[in-house]
Amino acid sequence: MPRLSAALDRIHPSQTLAMTARVAELKRQGVDVIGLSAGEPDFDTPDFVKEAAIDAIRAGKTKYTNVDGTPELKEAIARKFKRENGLDYAPNEIIAGVGGKHVIFNALVATCEAGDEVIIPAPYWVSYPDMVAYSGATPVIIEGGADQGYKITPEQLVGAITPRTRWVILNSPSNPSGAAYSAEELKGLGEVLRRHEHVMLLSDDMYEHIFYADFPFTTMAQLCPDLKDRILTENGCSKAYAMTGWRIGYAGGPAWLIKAMAKLQSQSTSNPCSIAQAAAAAALDGPQDFLAERQTAFRKRRDLVVDMLNQAPGLHCPTPEGAFYVYPDASGCIGKTTPDGKRIGCDDDLIGYFLDHARVAAVCGTAFGLSPAFRVSYATSEEVLREACTRIQEACAALK
């Protein structure tokens, strides 16, 4: 019989990627399905970034690079942190990886083992608990419900920290809810961390530039500089620059941690793609004016989706502060019956109903640790979103 590792048995396939694959298969079969499950901008990579990649190919930059990133990319990352976040990082405090997921994975695996705990606010990005579990540590989930704006409080954080706590993971703006923490909210959480010197913070800032709140984006190391040596500030090019397939993530943090992550990376992937690194450096150093234009487009889509889903019977859709997701509470649909007599017992049933009867694909809240709810990505055209939300409205109205 085939034998798999115990570490592999601790994790599960990504439900977001599974739904995306299912939508792709339905479309190949000619089914008129609208996919709102993928966390990927529909915009194209900017032309000046593509040109930088082409120039790198023509210049022969196709060889191995330093494991943790080229000097040119790390310098561009340092400039980005200084320009946009007021953070100073030396080259040995910066790492580039094969996407933000890779950077987070390396940080957790390099520092966690059996007996450790990692605090994760829910709803959470689907990969956090599995990466923690793979490392041998235990995910500790704190629920921040819709009534809290999908955010946790300092009191909740205090109650979750134990002597075994290794990390707290904070994603703002959030995937899947789009919730973002204000400076005052972050300072409150920072005050808790200040009193627990054994706890580190992983600040996942991937959606920094997709932000609509009436307060400015801030990150914990910027607000609490005395905690900077215990913070890994992670970001990437995937969302802001529409470079999901290029697979470049990066982070700034204490030198000892970056060295440990690079050690792990040296025996797994080695360096990120050399051409993608050149493109990422161009993205970070190049013109940034298109970011505001795309943010405006995302805001219009958000407003459309929030308005239409709040008109669907049984749904309550809070207005997110960032990212390109909404996370409607579906409590009002649970317990109802579909037109063909099936009972909606959970949000997974509801998502299956939407896919089978409305031909709209979303991701159930169980994947993100907070139910009953579901995630909708509005990273597509207003025309498609309008049609998808109309179908969801009609499907919800048909429940009895």
Side-chain angles (χ1 to χ4, degrees), residues 80-245:
K80 178 267 181 251
F81 277 131
K82 180 65 174 178
R83 179 180 70 245
E84 297 181 351
N85 309 114
L87 296 173
D88 291 306
Y89 288 110
N92 68 337
E93 296 175 315
I94 291 173
I95 190 168
V98 188
K101 180 182 287 189
H102 183 218
V103 172
I104 297 170
F105 180 89
N106 283 351
L108 293 171
V109 172
T111 58
C112 293
E113 58 190 5
D116 291 333
E117 296 175 347
V118 177
I119 295 173
I120 305 172
Y124 47 67
W125 180 43
V126 293
S127 294
Y128 293 147
D130 286 87
M131 289 192 283
V132 170
Y134 183 87
S135 76
T138 300
V140 176
I141 309 303
I142 307 176
E143 289 191 0
D147 58 332
Q148 298 177 196
Y150 292 128
K151 293 179 277 190
I152 63 168
T153 66
E155 293 74 21
Q156 287 179 295
L157 183 57
V158 169
I161 291 176
T162 74
R164 297 181 297 277
T165 304
R166 191 76 173 101
W167 288 92
V168 175
I169 299 178
L170 199 63
N171 179 208
S172 175
S174 159
N175 175 5
S177 71
Y181 289 82
S182 69
E184 289 305 310
E185 289 168 331
L186 287 175
K187 287 178 181 178
L189 299 175
E191 183 57 37
V192 175
L193 295 174
R194 193 170 281 117
R195 301 197 301 268
H196 296 84
E197 296 182 359
H198 66 292
V199 180
M200 297 192 64
L201 175 74
L202 200 161
S203 182
D204 183 351
D205 297 352
M206 186 62 71
Y207 295 90
E208 172 184 2
H209 289 294
I210 307 173
F211 195 82
Y212 330 110
D214 57 3
F215 51 83
F217 173 86
T218 48
T219 191
M220 187 71 84
Q222 177 183 9
L223 291 169
C224 303
D226 58 309
L227 300 178
K228 184 167 174 277
D229 288 343
R230 287 197 276 138
I231 297 174
L232 183 70
T233 304
E234 175 267 337
N235 210 317
C237 296
S238 294
K239 312 302 182 181
Y241 300 97
M243 295 176 67
T244 49

Side-chain angles (χ1 to χ4, degrees), residues 2 7 19 35 44 102 108 130 133 146 162 164 185 191 237 271 309 311 315 319 323 338 342 356 372 380 382 397:
M19 180 60 81
D44 196 8
H102 183 218
L108 293 171
D130 286 87
T162 74
R164 297 181 297 277
E185 289 168 331
E191 183 57 37
C237 296
N271 63 272
L309 291 184
Q311 296 178 47
L315 300 184
T319 302
T338 68
K342 294 180 180 178
D356 293 339
T380 188
E382 291 184 40

